[in-house]
Amino acid sequence: MNQIATIKPGALPDVARRHSALLARPEGAFRTPVVAINEKLIPRDEAEALRTHLIGKLAVMTDKQALELTDLMLGAYVNAKPHNPAVYVSSVAAVFQAYPFDIGRKAVDEVRLNLCPKFPPNAGEIKQALDAERAKRTYAIRVLEAHLAEHERRAKDKPQGRLVADMPQEERDAFLSAQMARYRAAAEAKVSTPNAAGGEG
């Protein structure tokens, strides 16, 4: 049975809130998250369901939604008088079109309240806010993927038919030492590998 089916769509907000601390993107986080060997994992079914949900929410907005956000953005600047209004609206809408609608809505608030509270933003400033919001989502997806990978690793490395706690002390120490060595090697490899995504997320 597909484990994703065990998490109902209506339960996803509660699941996300429960793991919000893990999914939040730290300031300046650009690399794929590393899960510690003894870290408590997000349950596999919840991680799979959240990952699928968040990937689906990366779909870009429609042209109509982009124009809606453009109007919302410009409506906050009562004295805005672009040199060429048609070109300005077109360029701003084109930027919005490359992002999900809900991310665009959050970016509008960020631009109006923080980045450009007094004067209309240019396309680059809007893109900056959009990229920052999307990076939060892509980072959360990477966290979930890291937890799913660790689930697989632990299942593969688990001694057949035995628990680590049941091993003799010497055997248990050797097993945990080998696990730690593999984890360190994997972590060092990730740190030394440049981010293929170009720095986002």
Side-chain angles (χ1 to χ4, degrees):
M1 179 178 177
N2 190 336
Q3 288 180 303
I4 295 177
T6 65
I7 305 296
K8 296 180 179 180
L12 284 173
D14 287 337
V15 173
R17 278 192 291 271
R18 189 159 61 249
H19 303 301
S20 59
L22 280 174
L23 299 178
R25 180 178 183 267
E27 187 68 27
F30 296 111
R31 294 189 177 92
T32 299
V34 176
V35 181
I37 193 170
N38 60 346
E39 183 175 337
K40 183 178 180 180
L41 299 178
I42 297 172
R44 187 194 300 267
D45 57 344
E46 295 183 358
E48 288 179 341
L50 281 174
R51 176 182 177 274
T52 299
H53 175 68
L54 291 178
I55 288 176
K57 291 190 70 175
L58 288 175
V60 299
M61 70 182 77
T62 64
D63 294 352
K64 181 179 179 181
Q65 289 173 326
L67 288 173
E68 177 185 334
L69 290 181
T70 300
D71 288 342
L72 183 64
M73 174 81 74
L74 299 183
Y77 303 98
V78 294
N79 296 320
K81 295 180 180 179
H83 177 68
N84 190 325
V87 172
Y88 181 79
V89 168
S90 177
S91 64
V92 169
V95 173
F96 277 123
Q97 286 171 1
Y99 297 83
F101 180 73
D102 68 314
I103 282 177
R105 186 64 183 83
K106 293 176 182 177
V108 167
D109 290 340
E110 174 63 17
V111 170
R112 288 164 52 182
L113 297 176
N114 298 314
L115 291 181
C116 303
K118 295 182 179 180
F119 303 102
N122 58 41
E125 290 166 329
I126 296 171
K127 186 177 186 301
Q128 176 185 341
L130 288 162
D131 284 341
E133 288 297 330
R134 186 169 61 183
K136 296 175 184 178
R137 185 161 298 168
T138 55
Y139 181 83
I141 292 171
R142 291 176 183 177
V143 170
L144 294 165
E145 290 174 343
H147 278 247
L148 288 169
E150 181 64 8
H151 272 295
E152 293 297 325
R153 188 198 65 76
R154 292 184 188 183
K156 181 179 178 181
D157 289 346
K158 183 178 179 181
Q160 294 296 320
R162 302 176 65 199
L163 296 175
V164 175
D166 296 331
M167 293 179 179
Q169 183 66 46
E170 184 176 348
E171 184 180 356
R172 181 165 66 248
D173 290 345
F175 175 77
L176 293 176
S177 178
Q179 295 289 83
M180 185 61 71
R182 279 197 290 272
Y183 166 73
R184 287 173 179 160
E188 290 172 359
K190 288 180 180 178
V191 169
S192 63
T193 302
N195 183 5
E200 181 188 90

